[in-house]
Amino acid sequence: MSYAAHKMMHWPTGIENCAAGFITHSRADFVPRISPIQTDDLHSDWPAPRREIGPVPNLVVTAANVLEVYVVRVQEQDTARGSGESKRGGLMDGVTGASLELVCHYRLHGNVLSMAVLSSGGGDGSKRRDAIILTFEDAKISVLEFDDSIHGLRTSSMHCFEGPEWLHLRRGRESFARGPSVKVDPQGRCGGVLVYDLQLIILKAAQGGYGLVGDDDGFASGAAISARVESSYIISLRDMDMKHVKDFTFVHGYIEPVLVILHERELTWAGRVSWKHHTCMISALSISTTLKQHPLIWSAINLPHDAYKLLAVPSPIGGVLVISANSIHYHSQSASCALALNSYAGSVDSSQEMPRSSFTVELDAANASWLSNDVILLSTKTGELLLLTLVYDGRVVHRLDLSKSKASVLTSGIATVGNSLFFLGSRLGDGLLVQFTSGVGASMLSAGLKDEVGDIEGDDPSAKRLRMSSSDALQDMISGEELSLYGSAQNNAESAQRSFSFAVRDSLVNVGPLKDFSYGLRINADANATGIAKQSNYELVCCSGHGKNGALCVLRQSIRPEMITEVGLPGCKGIWTVYHKNARGHNAESSDDEYHAFLIISLEARTMVLETADHLSEVTDKVDYFLQGRTIAAGNLFGRRRVVQIYERGARILEGYYMTQDLSFGVSNSESGSSSESATVLSVSIVDPYVLLRMSDGGIRLLVGDPSSCTVSVSNPAALESSKKLVSACTLYHDEGPEPWLRKSSIDEAIDGVLHDEGDVYCVICYESGSLEIFDVPNFNCVFSVEKFVSGKPHLVDTFMGDPQKSQSSEEVSDLSRNEKLQNMRVVELTMQRWSGHYSRPFLFGILNDGMIFCYHAYLYESMDSTSKTEVSASSQNTTASRLRNLRFVRVPLDTYSRNDPSNGTSCQRMTVFKNIAGNQGLFLAGSRPAWLMVFRERIRVHPQLCDGSIVAFTVLHNVNCNHGLIYVTSEGIMKICQLPSITSYDNYWPVQKIPLKGTPHQVTYFAEKNLYPLIVSVPVQKPLNQVLSSLVDQEFSHQVENHNLSPEELHRTYTVDEFEVRIMEPEKSGGPWQTRATIPLQTSENALTVRVVTLFNTTTKENETLLAIGTAYVQGEDVAGRGRVLLFSAENNFDNPQNLISEVFSKELKGAISALASLQGHLLIASGPKIILHKWTGSDLTGIAFFDVPPLYVVSLNIVKNFILIGDIHKSIYFLSWKEQGAQLNLLAKDFGNLDCFATEFLIDGSTLSLAVADAQKNIQILYYAPKISESWRGQKLLTRAEFHVGAHVTKFLRLQMLSTSSDRTGKNPGSDKTVRYALLFGTLDGSIGSIAPLEELTFRRLQSLQNKLVDAVPHVAGLNPRSFRQFRSNGKAHRPGPDSIVDCELLFHYEMLPLEEQLEIAQQIGTTRLQILSNLDDLSLGTSFL
């Protein structure tokens, strides 16, 4: 393996930063929704029956290098009543639901370390917007704002304090404990970023909204103005005599920005706390950005040494809260007070006593956010939510009240979103959007006290949980009763008893941190599958989460529907299901749950009709359908009262079995004489009451239905007859609902003065020339047009609007050869669809003839300079009055989707829209690589379906036996009726099923013979202190526990200890919840470190045995010598008595911790402490036969291939050994001489070459190799570097999987290559991402590497980050010799497909290759790694 590609397959999901701000809209855009009268003066006197939900800001979250902006959609009581469904969380404050909807999603070339929202200042009526400030490693700062014209973020300023000219800021240091952290002034006047531990960068905000970037083209004169950063300068805190800065924040209520810094004057540590404590202090600086001065205005000393966080108290109180592990302190310029949280909180001198809280809690690693100006929500390290109330009078705070609340996820950050929602971001569990309400009268208080410290999500394992999709399972329990909690102070006279109620409204699935995973068979695996379809048999079972958020995540990249029945159906060309309202025509019931009546199957030369009642029965001979040829399409018209069937030369309208009208299209076009008779129907789009036909002569026909008589008539759109442009694809789009969306984009609201309730119908047409036009139906006025739709531009703008960004010069220069390339590109299929949802916007999909798929999302943009350009063109075209001039489209990347092979002339339609398959909506893509495109929160999730190879036809089916299911026909001619597994959550990069464990999972392995998953789980248990102390004693010398420094009541305190066990889990047969089949308990203070399934050769019976091996260690403190145990278990298929499922066959205590186990050619290799020992198995005993004194410290991972051993040490990098049977000896072949903190290791096999991959604590991956013949390797003692790469996440596990053969291998272009067996490495990370390292041919690598170097400059990168610097090996200040750059980054290469076609051709030509060659290389890479 000399060359490789790094490819992300599942992006990070663990949320690290979250913030709220008005990014995509301003405060003034918010319309109060309580009263029908919306004038402000009347509204202020309106008697508010409930708490008003004010302007709701956006939510911005980051997960590693992913940045997402959401808009929060709040559903009021009245709008939801129409839809009739009760949303999650019940009714609170007149709100029935709130959900997150994605605005934009970016993958940055760098991990976001901290984030803040720069407020634009101004009150609720302010029209200005906020900006996002991101900081990246070392000292990079980017300021982003939302640009309406492109419906995305653009960088407004960048500030970098790295490189040679800023080297003096580091003061000679290479590594720093933490990266830059950013905080902003609450009024938006400036921001501060702490870099290099002691340098403070002040970002001065632009006043009045005009910064460096004046009013250029992108900002029309009336466009929204966002907050901007004007300039930046540095304050050195070292010069102000601050040594160790812990945190800083800007406080409220001063005329100039005031910065409060928490710092420690002299350090102390746990061993010296009794002599040296209260070492922290805070200093307040007044920042004058114009004079660049920062005088000290007040300070406070003697804060506890473990203070770590400052929180600015909002106006009108002002001041700061200092959070430490055992106490909370409030300080302002005039007053101060404190609250002790437990008995460890001591005051400076023991004379005065601190007020105590009513319960004990530790607040280290807490996160906080203000719910109101005097109540702050704290989330502790155990996931409890606490409320801290400031009891104040005027601006003086008298005391602090702490009260318990619900429990929730372990958070990484909290953001208050508006005045009644907050978001809990979490790396260890799902992110939750929670609505809160306060005040005694505000909510039903009945469900009160009994449930004071319950989980937010509730813990009742009812039957309902089993049906819910995994991530919602825990949180949906609370829809029944409202959760309340009371924070009552001891002294009720001063503080009114305030109650807060919470309701979980939405959650974002998180599968991180992936600590370990194993690769097992799915329950519904197909034993006969081959090739790529076989991958759909497997799934990844991952250990994720921590503590009570611990879960087993079952991840699958591809969807595998659950089959109900299958029948052979050779030669099928298409299938459709239709409704028929026979006896129930008069009954206006909801049509959502109506069953389908007929299934129409089109074969090569005939048509079959089946009735979909209790059984599928053929009724072909009873019906008047056209049966003598194939059907092109079928669907319902006139509110499902009639069925329309289109065949090549005609159409039929049917009611039930009987025909009511027959049409033929042969002779309608009389003037062109005989030639027109050859025109047949190629494709059809049906939208009640219209049917659009595309004919083989390049024209289109429209069938217009008359609902009163239920008949249709053919019309030829005159606008298109005259133009004679050939149509390559067309579709009808129905803008449904009482508020048609597209109408908002036109300037005159009511088109034709008619407001239908059904919405408007539009016709989208693509011509052979590559341009796209949208017409309104039935008048066929052109309302939107785009030149060169085929080139796939990032934004589509109406040509009459004129696109300011477009430069004509580049297109004229392009030479003829490339122009010919563009000529044969054309769109072969179009679909435009808006799925249900109050705020949903339409998507437009197009398929090109080379298999490329475009996906565009519509948005509105009112540009101010639009009128002039339109008036000029209005004279030439009088229909511009109703153009959709504010309509624009933005291109959306389709993740992980590999292109289909170009269609071989068959004109079957590949896109099928579905509205409800097991509750999901979206679009199914048939063809050689079928995929599901599901729509959640206005974002498209692409899930491939590999299990049946290519699919020729697809339709939905809803009847008695198949509830909201589907039918598809494979290319082998098998028709399958299926349902989607409902327990899986599809709103994730990969479909995921979460099984809650209520404990921390550590390691999992797969017992293939019995289909069991043994995993290590630890659960925190409270134990009395004296029990814990007695376990820390070495049993052999049994000392008495010295209690001399512990008082009696301290001995009865509890202490939290993790108790370990090994659970044997088995997936249910039905795809439901998982069952725990058996549990192996461990002794007290014994930690299980590893669990593996090993195959040992029994020397007595001369047979191989498959056993479960567990390695443990006793954790008893530093005074006791380390010991560990090896346990071997055998599994029996004893289903009557599950207790005897596993039985212990052997256990033995060894010196040192048993941190890794593996089977090596029938022997058991055990890593115990600083040596590895090889044992043979006699059936009753393990006897050592060889050992080696390596690694120096502690084995992190152990891999074996044939007789080679790879060991990763926790600090000393990797060791490569071999085992020789003859002399029974282990030999060290080579090692890496550098120091490296290994996280995971694995062998990488590429044909006949063996490489060693290692991932380290600096988030890098290195690939090394053993080459004794090369002189640099010191006769083979030293491993040499083959490649190195910065992944940007901690890799915890590698899995070696054989790569799948791709098209270029099958055609046998390189028959002589030895690369028959290529393996890729799949890896999981602590951020919840999954990626792969796949070997490449040298030729492919060189091509992709030169493309990558081009793309660094050719693609605009979000936040201005450089992909090359991101992927450079990080050594954190240690000496490191840079290795070869032999890994290409697919994250950057996949930008190529998103470039416009002209740029793709140009770049391909510059690097001396062709576009098709590049795309086929990227395709082969996608295919070769389409695991699971």
Side-chain angles (χ1 to χ4, degrees):
M1 199 269 359
S2 306
Y3 306 102
H6 160 270
K7 174 170 179 259
M8 285 317 268
M9 301 162 83
H10 181 288
W11 284 268
T13 55
I15 293 173
E16 288 165 9
N17 301 296
C18 55
F22 290 88
I23 309 294
T24 63
H25 54 276
S26 63
R27 289 171 177 79
D29 297 341
F30 178 82
V31 185
R33 299 200 194 107
I34 259 182
S35 65
I37 311 162
Q38 276 159 8
T39 45
D40 284 337
D41 49 349
L42 280 174
H43 192 259
S44 53
D45 313 335
W46 194 268
R50 54 177 185 240
R51 185 153 159 257
E52 163 102 39
I53 304 274
V56 181
N58 295 91
L59 175 70
V60 189
V61 300
T62 69
N65 65 333
V66 173
L67 169 71
E68 291 177 331
V69 180
Y70 290 93
V71 58
V72 182
R73 299 292 188 197
V74 177
Q75 266 168 331
E76 302 287 316
Q77 195 167 355
D78 39 52
T79 57
R81 197 181 298 131
S83 64
E85 50 180 321
S86 80
K87 290 279 184 292
R88 184 160 154 189
L91 178 74
M92 175 190 282
D93 266 350
V95 171
T96 54
S99 59
L100 295 171
E101 182 184 293
L102 187 77
V103 180
C104 50
H105 163 102
Y106 293 106
R107 297 181 194 138
L108 313 177
H109 299 289
N111 288 350
V112 179
L113 293 185
S114 68
M115 171 175 69
V117 169
L118 178 65
S119 147
S120 56
D124 274 359
S126 163
K127 278 209 162 36
R128 296 182 52 197
R129 298 184 181 172
D130 305 342
I132 304 171
I133 305 181
L134 304 176
T135 68
F136 302 93
E137 191 146 81
D138 281 358
K140 297 187 204 54
I141 303 155
S142 290
V143 186
L144 302 175
E145 61 187 38
F146 189 77
D147 184 355
D148 285 322
S149 63
I150 59 169
H151 199 72
L153 297 174
R154 48 174 272 168
T155 313
S156 67
S157 64
M158 289 152 55
H159 312 263
C160 180
F161 293 89
E162 296 173 16
E165 66 271 35
W166 297 106
L167 212 53
H168 63 277
L169 297 181
R170 292 172 170 270
R171 302 200 59 88
R173 288 178 59 187
E174 279 291 340
S175 65
F176 296 90
R178 53 182 184 179
S181 71
V182 56
K183 299 281 185 353
V184 291
D185 176 50
Q187 289 165 28
R189 294 166 295 193
C190 68
V193 184
L194 184 67
V195 297
Y196 304 132
D197 288 355
L198 280 174
Q199 305 292 335
L200 191 68
I201 298 166
I202 298 292
L203 306 172
K204 178 179 189 236
Q207 295 302 314
Y210 298 107
L212 298 165
V213 199
D215 268 345
D216 54 10
D217 296 337
F219 287 86
S221 51
I225 297 166
S226 302
R228 302 236 177 99
V229 171
E230 192 179 83
S231 58
S232 53
Y233 66 94
I234 294 181
I235 299 176
S236 169
L237 298 179
R238 187 191 172 83
D239 302 346
M240 306 187 61
D241 211 28
M242 297 185 190
K243 293 198 187 74
H244 310 282
V245 176
K246 294 184 153 195
D247 196 17
F248 70 105
T249 187
F250 287 90
V251 292
H252 295 253
Y254 286 85
I255 297 168
E256 292 232 298
V258 171
L259 181 75
V260 176
I261 301 178
L262 171 68
H263 55 108
E264 197 163 4
R265 289 170 300 177
E266 8 183 335
L267 295 177
T268 179
W269 63 287
R272 274 191 66 81
V273 166
S274 48
W275 294 277
K276 194 176 189 179
H277 47 85
H278 292 79
T279 51
C280 289
M281 65 176 288
I282 53 175
S283 309
L285 312 178
S286 173
I287 306 287
S288 164
T289 49
T290 44
L291 302 173
K292 298 193 179 177
Q293 290 178 350
H294 37 270
L296 178 72
I297 53 175
W298 58 271
S299 63
I301 57 168
N302 287 342
L303 289 164
H305 72 281
D306 50 10
Y308 65 96
K309 200 193 242 338
L310 289 178
L311 300 165
V313 181
S315 306
I317 307 172
V320 300
L321 281 175
V322 185
I323 309 286
S324 74
N326 308 310
S327 55
I328 301 175
H329 301 256
Y330 168 80
H331 281 278
S332 70
Q333 200 162 348
S334 51
S336 68
C337 60
L339 180 70
L341 304 172
N342 53 42
S343 57
Y344 297 111
S347 52
V348 192
D349 42 1
S350 43
S351 56
Q352 78 260 37
E353 188 64 32
M354 273 162 83
R356 282 277 172 96
S357 74
S358 53
F359 54 94
T360 63
V361 65
E362 291 171 13
L363 266 194
D364 48 328
N367 288 296
S369 184
W370 293 91
L371 298 188
S372 68
N373 65 345
D374 60 341
V375 177
I376 189 164
L377 178 77
L378 293 158
S379 157
T380 69
K381 57 185 176 183
T382 57
E384 283 182 277
L385 295 181
L386 309 176
L387 292 169
L388 179 71
T389 310
L390 279 66
V391 182
Y392 68 102
D393 182 13
R395 290 189 65 170
V396 180
V397 175
H398 294 304
R399 59 188 169 82
L400 308 173
D401 270 354
L402 192 66
S403 60
K404 278 194 181 183
S405 168
K406 293 278 160 242
S408 179
V409 292
L410 306 175
T411 58
S412 60
I414 308 182
T416 305
V417 186
N419 63 3
S420 55
L421 294 159
F422 60 86
F423 179 77
L424 302 169
S426 172
R427 266 181 69 94
L428 304 172
D430 294 355
L432 300 180
L433 180 71
V434 184
Q435 186 188 351
F436 66 91
T437 181
S438 70
V440 182
S443 70
M444 330 160 202
L445 297 180
S446 55
L449 291 151
K450 62 177 185 295
D451 144 284
E452 194 166 358
V453 203
D455 230 7
I456 279 207
E457 299 95 343
D459 282 335
D460 170 34
S462 62
K464 181 179 175 190
R465 172 192 290 179
L466 309 182
R467 291 200 312 271
M468 295 304 306
S469 71
S470 56
S471 65
D472 302 353
L474 293 174
Q475 291 120 18
D476 246 301
M477 302 286 84
I478 57 154
S479 49
E481 83 277 18
E482 193 68 38
L483 303 178
S484 297
L485 54 112
Y486 295 88
S488 58
Q490 294 90 342
N491 173 351
N492 270 343
E494 282 174 75
S495 76
Q497 187 182 45
R498 293 180 69 174
S499 78
F500 275 79
S501 318
F502 296 108
V504 177
R505 291 302 190 189
D506 202 352
S507 62
L508 299 178
V509 177
N510 167 25
V511 299
L514 299 175
K515 297 185 194 157
D516 187 39
F517 56 78
S518 68
Y519 179 73
L521 274 176
R522 301 192 193 184
I523 300 162
N524 53 1
D526 171 19
N528 309 324
T530 55
I532 290 196
K534 190 173 180 182
Q535 285 304 315
S536 189
N537 286 343
Y538 297 99
E539 61 194 6
L540 276 190
V541 177
C542 313
C543 295
S544 71
H546 181 85
K548 61 177 190 179
N549 297 132
L552 217 51
C553 284
V554 185
L555 286 165
R556 314 168 168 109
Q557 191 174 352
S558 59
I559 287 184
R560 187 182 191 102
E562 293 173 357
M563 198 169 66
I564 297 175
T565 174
E566 64 175 357
V567 280
L569 196 68
C572 175
K573 290 285 172 229
I575 48 178
W576 299 269
T577 44
V578 292
Y579 299 99
H580 171 52
K581 291 195 169 169
N582 39 16
R584 299 164 298 143
H586 58 278
N587 186 359
E589 59 176 308
S590 76
S591 55
D592 294 340
D593 222 36
E594 186 185 342
Y595 287 155
H596 286 108
F598 295 105
L599 168 67
I600 299 158
I601 300 173
S602 163
L603 304 174
E604 302 265 357
R606 63 190 186 93
T607 295
M608 292 167 58
V609 182
L610 279 72
E611 200 164 22
T612 58
D614 298 351
H615 303 286
L616 284 183
S617 49
E618 188 170 347
V619 290
T620 310
D621 41 1
K622 300 184 195 167
V623 292
D624 291 346
Y625 282 80
F626 173 80
L627 308 166
Q628 291 75 40
R630 65 192 194 94
T631 301
I632 307 291
N636 284 91
L637 286 183
F638 311 123
R640 298 186 179 171
R641 285 177 297 175
R642 297 285 188 275
V643 173
V644 59
Q645 177 201 16
I646 314 281
Y647 48 98
E648 284 183 347
R649 298 187 179 276
R652 289 193 180 184
I653 308 293
L654 300 106
E655 180 177 12
Y657 293 161
Y658 310 110
M659 178 169 75
T660 60
Q661 190 184 359
D662 194 2
L663 293 165
S664 65
F665 314 127
V667 256
S668 63
N669 193 351
S670 54
E671 71 262 18
S672 56
S674 59
S675 66
S676 73
E677 295 189 6
S678 60
T680 56
V681 180
L682 289 183
S683 71
V684 182
S685 173
I686 304 175
V687 162
D688 192 7
Y690 303 104
V691 181
L692 180 73
L693 315 171
R694 181 169 71 86
M695 312 302 284
S696 56
D697 59 2
I700 61 172
R701 305 259 196 289
L702 182 71
L703 305 187
V704 185
D706 173 10
S708 56
S709 64
C710 288
T711 55
V712 295
S713 53
V714 183
S715 83
N716 287 352
L720 293 174
E721 285 289 303
S722 55
S723 70
K724 291 293 177 207
K725 288 195 281 188
L726 296 181
V727 173
S728 72
C730 59
T731 183
L732 287 177
Y733 164 62
H734 186 193
D735 209 9
E736 299 176 62
E739 299 180 1
W741 188 87
L742 277 183
R743 203 178 285 169
K744 301 176 196 163
S745 66
S746 151
I747 297 197
D748 44 342
E749 281 291 294
I751 300 177
D752 309 334
V754 184
L755 283 165
H756 329 285
D757 270 354
E758 287 78 47
D760 311 320
V761 177
Y762 296 90
C763 169
V764 188
I765 291 182
C766 232
Y767 298 104
E768 292 278 351
S769 63
S771 57
L772 170 124
E773 294 192 337
I774 301 183
F775 297 89
D776 62 348
V777 177
N779 307 326
F780 272 84
N781 296 327
C782 178
V783 292
F784 185 85
S785 61
V786 177
E787 298 294 318
K788 290 236 177 75
F789 173 70
V790 269
S791 67
K793 291 180 286 226
H795 298 91
L796 303 182
V797 185
D798 189 0
T799 41
F800 278 82
M801 292 291 306
D803 188 355
Q805 286 101 8
K806 194 159 143 193
S807 61
Q808 296 298 327
S809 54
S810 62
E811 290 170 29
E812 292 156 14
V813 178
S814 67
D815 47 331
L816 281 172
S817 65
R818 247 185 291 153
N819 262 354
E820 288 162 13
K821 273 272 186 60
L822 281 181
Q823 289 310 312
N824 54 31
M825 298 289 287
R826 61 178 205 281
V827 176
V828 293
E829 193 179 339
L830 277 173
T831 295
M832 187 166 169
Q833 176 68 26
R834 176 174 160 224
W835 282 277
S836 65
H838 198 254
Y839 296 97
S840 61
R841 311 194 307 276
F843 284 96
L844 173 67
F845 298 90
I847 303 185
L848 298 191
N849 52 355
D850 70 341
M852 231 7 214
I853 294 187
F854 292 159
C855 167
Y856 283 94
H857 202 175
Y859 66 96
L860 297 179
Y861 173 64
E862 296 188 29
S863 80
M864 296 302 156
D865 51 350
S866 59
T867 47
S868 55
K869 286 179 187 154
T870 334
E871 279 159 13
V872 180
S873 51
S875 53
S876 60
Q877 186 135 349
N878 51 7
T879 56
T880 45
S882 60
R883 284 187 82 88
L884 305 173
R885 59 179 68 180
N886 295 332
L887 175 65
R888 293 195 175 188
F889 289 90
V890 58
R891 182 145 172 221
V892 183
L894 296 178
D895 290 337
T896 64
Y897 179 69
S898 47
R899 299 176 313 137
N900 274 276
D901 307 332
S903 53
N904 41 15
T906 57
S907 64
C908 68
Q909 285 180 303
R910 291 185 35 210
M911 295 190 273
T912 313
V913 171
F914 57 87
K915 299 280 181 59
N916 182 354
I917 295 186
N920 301 298
Q921 51 184 12
L923 178 129
F924 183 81
L925 202 51
S928 59
R929 293 181 205 151
W932 295 79
L933 279 64
M934 296 189 177
V935 181
F936 296 95
R937 341 178 169 273
E938 287 297 281
R939 96 187 271 170
I940 294 220
R941 299 286 199 181
V942 182
H943 301 309
Q945 177 172 326
L946 308 173
C947 54
D948 290 294
S950 119
I951 288 179
V952 293
F954 172 96
T955 187
V956 294
L957 173 66
H958 178 47
N959 72 358
V960 184
N961 303 320
C962 178
N963 187 21
H964 292 301
L966 56 131
I967 306 181
Y968 60 88
V969 182
T970 66
S971 51
E972 275 85 55
I974 296 170
M975 180 169 86
K976 300 193 173 188
I977 303 179
C978 308
Q979 283 177 309
L980 274 191
S982 59
I983 192 136
T984 311
S985 163
Y986 296 100
D987 183 15
N988 188 31
Y989 300 105
W990 289 7
V992 58
Q993 175 188 351
K994 279 184 105 166
I995 298 112
L997 295 173
K998 296 277 192 282
T1000 307
H1002 294 274
Q1003 211 178 50
V1004 62
T1005 184
Y1006 179 55
F1007 206 130
E1009 294 174 13
K1010 311 279 191 289
N1011 197 29
L1012 301 172
Y1013 289 92
L1015 72 150
I1016 300 174
V1017 182
S1018 70
V1019 181
V1021 178
Q1022 297 279 338
K1023 290 200 163 181
L1025 201 54
N1026 46 12
Q1027 270 189 38
V1028 177
L1029 284 173
S1030 61
S1031 72
L1032 298 182
V1033 180
D1034 200 333
Q1035 262 69 31
E1036 294 171 20
F1037 306 110
S1038 64
H1039 293 302
Q1040 276 304 304
V1041 189
E1042 298 100 354
N1043 290 340
H1044 60 83
N1045 53 0
L1046 290 179
S1047 59
E1049 84 266 7
E1050 283 187 326
L1051 275 177
H1052 293 299
R1053 269 219 207 98
T1054 57
Y1055 185 77
T1056 310
V1057 185
D1058 278 340
E1059 286 208 342
F1060 281 75
E1061 63 186 27
V1062 176
R1063 286 187 202 168
I1064 315 286
M1065 309 270 293
E1066 183 181 27
E1068 273 289 300
K1069 294 291 172 276
S1070 63
W1074 287 36
Q1075 301 297 329
T1076 305
R1077 286 274 167 248
T1079 305
I1080 305 170
L1082 297 177
Q1083 299 170 7
T1084 51
S1085 71
E1086 183 181 26
N1087 290 11
L1089 298 180
T1090 180
V1091 57
R1092 289 285 173 252
V1093 173
V1094 292
T1095 304
L1096 301 182
F1097 180 71
N1098 187 332
T1099 52
T1100 319
T1101 61
K1102 302 283 185 261
E1103 286 175 358
N1104 281 334
E1105 293 182 17
T1106 305
L1107 300 171
L1108 178 68
I1110 302 171
T1112 73
Y1114 290 97
V1115 180
Q1116 295 177 310
E1118 54 194 23
D1119 299 334
V1120 183
R1123 301 174 294 133
R1125 282 200 305 163
V1126 179
L1127 305 162
L1128 292 179
F1129 289 84
S1130 69
E1132 301 300 327
N1133 270 353
N1134 192 346
F1135 284 114
D1136 359 310
N1137 190 355
Q1139 266 64 45
N1140 304 349
L1141 177 68
I1142 52 163
S1143 51
E1144 184 178 314
V1145 289
F1146 176 75
S1147 79
K1148 178 182 183 181
E1149 193 171 291
L1150 296 170
K1151 283 183 183 165
I1154 313 293
S1155 56
L1157 300 159
S1159 52
L1160 170 62
Q1161 297 182 345
H1163 305 303
L1164 182 63
L1165 185 64
I1166 298 176
S1168 73
K1171 67 167 64 173
I1172 57 168
I1173 313 171
L1174 191 66
H1175 294 77
K1176 66 177 183 187
W1177 171 241
T1178 62
S1180 59
D1181 196 15
L1182 286 175
T1183 44
I1185 51 174
F1187 76 95
F1188 200 92
D1189 277 340
V1190 69
L1193 297 168
Y1194 177 89
V1195 174
V1196 175
S1197 69
L1198 187 61
N1199 310 98
I1200 288 177
V1201 162
K1202 293 187 176 168
N1203 62 333
F1204 294 111
I1205 305 164
L1206 172 61
I1207 287 175
D1209 184 80
I1210 194 162
H1211 284 312
K1212 299 288 184 189
S1213 197
I1214 59 173
Y1215 292 79
F1216 183 44
L1217 295 91
S1218 74
W1219 152 248
K1220 287 206 177 68
E1221 188 88 52
Q1222 294 91 19
Q1225 55 185 356
L1226 293 166
N1227 297 326
L1228 178 66
L1229 296 176
K1231 64 177 185 173
D1232 177 15
F1233 279 66
N1235 279 356
L1236 201 66
D1237 300 354
C1238 292
F1239 266 49
T1241 58
E1242 185 55 272
F1243 287 103
L1244 184 54
I1245 301 172
D1246 180 22
S1248 56
T1249 55
L1250 184 70
S1251 312
L1252 321 172
V1254 54
D1256 62 36
Q1258 297 300 321
K1259 307 184 179 182
N1260 306 308
I1261 286 182
Q1262 274 184 82
I1263 295 173
L1264 302 118
Y1265 66 112
Y1266 173 59
K1269 299 204 172 68
I1270 298 181
S1271 58
E1272 291 99 87
S1273 72
W1274 303 346
R1275 291 197 188 148
Q1277 297 176 51
K1278 182 178 181 189
L1279 292 168
L1280 302 179
T1281 310
R1282 200 164 250 167
E1284 56 185 29
F1285 190 80
H1286 182 70
V1287 179
H1290 286 124
V1291 174
T1292 51
K1293 167 83 180 253
F1294 284 114
L1295 175 69
R1296 194 173 62 243
L1297 293 175
Q1298 187 167 346
M1299 285 182 74
L1300 311 170
S1301 66
T1302 53
S1303 51
S1304 58
D1305 301 350
R1306 280 200 293 271
T1307 48
K1309 286 177 191 162
N1310 40 4
S1313 77
D1314 62 339
K1315 308 291 186 192
T1316 46
V1317 196
R1318 302 204 104 145
Y1319 284 86
L1321 292 182
L1322 192 74
F1323 60 82
T1325 73
L1326 289 181
D1327 293 326
S1329 55
I1330 296 172
S1332 66
I1333 297 276
L1336 289 179
E1337 302 283 344
E1338 179 168 8
L1339 183 66
T1340 311
F1341 170 77
R1342 297 279 174 228
R1343 184 181 299 126
L1344 293 180
Q1345 193 184 34
S1346 45
L1347 171 64
Q1348 173 175 300
N1349 295 339
K1350 269 268 173 266
L1351 288 177
V1352 172
D1353 303 327
V1355 177
H1357 301 295
V1358 187
L1361 293 160
N1362 186 341
R1364 288 180 63 179
S1365 73
F1366 179 44
R1367 295 306 183 187
Q1368 239 149 12
F1369 187 90
R1370 307 279 155 94
S1371 58
N1372 198 19
K1374 294 183 184 147
H1376 174 77
R1377 216 172 119 205
D1381 181 19
S1382 315
I1383 297 188
V1384 289
D1385 178 23
C1386 291
E1387 285 289 272
L1388 180 56
L1389 294 176
F1390 285 143
H1391 281 291
Y1392 182 73
E1393 295 181 15
M1394 291 296 293
L1395 289 173
L1397 200 59
E1398 296 85 4
E1399 289 181 38
Q1400 288 186 24
L1401 295 168
E1402 195 176 330
I1403 289 178
Q1405 195 184 25
Q1406 286 172 355
I1407 63 174
T1409 178
T1410 63
R1411 170 178 176 269
L1412 287 175
Q1413 182 66 61
I1414 291 173
L1415 289 180
S1416 90
N1417 284 155
L1418 292 175
D1419 237 22
D1420 285 352
L1421 194 58
S1422 285
L1423 267 184
T1425 56
S1426 52
F1427 307 119
L1428 305 161

